[in-house]
Amino acid sequence: ETEAAPVPRVAVVVCLIKGKTVLLGRRRSSLGDSTFSLPGGHLEFGESFEECAAREVKEETGLEIKNIELMTVRNNVFLDEAKPCQYVGIFMRAVLADDDQVPQNVEPNFCDGWDWYEWDALPKPLFWPLENAIMAGFNPFHT
Ligand code: 8DG
Ligand code: MG
Ligand code: MG
């Protein structure tokens, strides 16, 4: 059996903001293993970006979010992987629906755990699509 040729896919990632901090988790995945990344995942058929953002954040952290807004779009091509892939990364911004909520590590096979990090002191290494976006000027605290 031959595998189907790869196609670009859509990923929605969420910059969840609390005060001066954002929520990051250390990945457990063949793609970007042990790097810090935003919650997010694949856009499902029929979903809006906002619906996908809320669903992925809920699935991965248990958190409810609000004020979900589109920030920017990035084209992330992973050619150096065993299975090359491409993600159109939709970067959303949101805040907690209720500030008292605490993130849960709902998918421990895919993440070491979630925590809040100051934007000016982000942990290293960042997942490279996030690192690249920041290098290109992405800042969820601007406008
Ligand atoms: P799903 O099955 O829940 O839909 O997907 P997932 O298991 O949560 O996928 P993911 O790897 O967390 O996200 C899908 C892809 O999105 C990821 O493989 C690459 C791309 N992606 C970026 N930037 C970021 C980011 O900052 N965080 C996350 N989580 N994914 C990102 O291009
Ligand atoms: Mg994910
Ligand atoms: Mg997911």
Side-chain angles (χ1 to χ4, degrees):
E1 288 285 320
T2 55
E3 282 191 49
V7 294
R9 286 187 286 172
V10 179
V12 172
V13 301
V14 184
C15 235
L16 184 52
I17 289 174
K18 186 182 180 187
K20 287 193 271 180
T21 67
V22 296
L23 190 73
L24 295 172
R26 198 191 277 265
R27 294 173 69 79
R28 284 298 164 216
S29 165
S30 52
L31 204 59
D33 191 49
S34 87
T35 62
F36 288 88
S37 81
L38 302 167
H42 302 89
L43 184 71
E44 292 183 355
F45 182 78
E47 265 184 334
S48 68
F49 297 151
E50 292 79 7
E51 286 166 345
C52 182
R55 178 182 55 75
E56 284 288 344
V57 169
K58 182 76 181 172
E59 285 177 0
E60 297 183 353
T61 72
L63 299 169
E64 305 274 356
I65 59 174
K66 66 177 185 183
N67 300 356
I68 307 166
E69 302 172 291
L70 175 64
M71 294 224 66
T72 191
V73 177
R74 305 277 305 168
N75 186 17
N76 300 319
V77 186
F78 301 79
L79 289 183
D80 298 335
E81 301 294 325
K83 281 189 184 174
C85 60
Q86 178 173 6
Y87 284 99
V88 175
I90 310 292
F91 281 67
M92 309 296 284
R93 175 173 66 181
V95 296
L96 288 172
D98 166 5
D99 256 345
D100 296 338
Q101 295 175 94
V102 174
Q104 309 294 322
N105 194 17
V106 184
E107 298 180 334
N109 291 338
F110 298 112
C111 180
D112 279 349
W114 300 101
D115 213 339
W116 303 100
Y117 296 92
E118 296 265 340
W119 185 255
D120 296 331
L122 294 176
K124 290 185 175 72
L126 294 174
F127 189 30
W128 73 255
L130 176 58
E131 177 79 40
N132 282 13
I134 294 170
M135 296 292 221
F138 173 71
N139 185 329
F141 295 93
H142 285 173
T143 69

